[in-house]
């Protein structure tokens, strides 16, 4: 469980990538006005530049190694 900013508790649940490597959260949360937290690990044997694509329709914050790399409002 994770304590949210609102003070409510949330539980993590596993989510597996689709064959094309994407994650579709829509079927899990088929309602409007929702907040979803996602955590994943991406590992590589070598340091390299990567492209990370995220789609959202409201606001989001993306952290990499604990550092905010993108924030929208």
């Amino acid at each position: 469980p994770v304590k949210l900013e609102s003070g409510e508790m949330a539980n993590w649940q596993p989510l597996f990538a689709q064959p094309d490597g994407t994650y579709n959260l829509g079927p899990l949360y088929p309602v409007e006005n929702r907040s979803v937290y996602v955590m994943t690990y991406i590992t590589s044997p070598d340091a390299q530049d990567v492209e990370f694509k995220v789609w959202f329709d409201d606001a989001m914050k993306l952290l990499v190694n604990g550092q905010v790399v993108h924030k929208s409002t």
Side-chain angles (χ1 to χ4, degrees), residues 15-64:
L15 176 67
F16 299 97
Q18 297 177 53
D20 65 358
T22 62
Y23 294 90
N24 182 1
L25 301 175
L28 295 174
Y29 305 98
V31 296
E32 290 295 320
N33 302 319
R34 63 182 178 251
S35 294
V36 177
Y37 295 79
V38 177
M39 180 176 72
T40 191
Y41 294 96
I42 301 171
T43 60
S44 173
D46 301 306
Q48 59 182 308
D49 291 332
V50 297
E51 182 178 59
F52 192 85
K53 295 181 180 182
V54 178
W55 180 89
F56 58 95
D57 64 354
D58 290 310
M60 60 114 18
K61 181 167 47 173
L62 176 64
L63 292 86
V64 175

Side-chain angles (χ1 to χ4, degrees), residues 61-72:
K61 181 167 47 173
L62 176 64
L63 292 86
V64 175
N65 296 328
Q67 300 296 314
V68 176
V69 296
H70 178 82
K71 184 176 182 179
S72 67

